[in-house]
Amino acid sequence: PFSESPVAENLGFLASRDPVALDAATLAVLEASSARGREATREFHDVLLAAEALGLGSARPTIQRFS
């Protein structure tokens, strides 16, 4: 009763040893799922590129789907 409406429906889960790649993959999945996801994540791409430039990880993840 105290939570807000979700940003997206249940899209499964993601895992990575690279925190920047995990964030980038999460954004890719959100953007692919809805227009609302694209709008909410547009500003965060610059943050991912800055993190990559600092050597914190890769902003270009490889996404593998398992079913």
Side-chain angles (χ1 to χ4, degrees):
F2 298 105
S3 62
E4 297 180 19
S5 61
V7 173
E9 68 278 0
N10 183 357
L11 300 172
F13 65 91
L14 302 170
S16 177
R17 292 182 179 163
D18 179 343
V20 179
L22 181 60
D23 285 346
T26 301
L27 288 178
V29 170
L30 283 173
E31 288 175 340
S33 72
S34 72
R36 183 177 177 197
R38 279 189 295 280
E39 192 65 33
T41 62
R42 198 170 285 159
E43 300 169 356
F44 198 64
H45 286 284
D46 291 337
V47 174
L48 292 173
L49 294 176
E52 184 178 52
L54 290 170
L56 300 176
S58 173
R60 295 169 193 84
T62 301
I63 300 174
Q64 296 179 338
R65 296 188 185 273
F66 298 96
S67 48

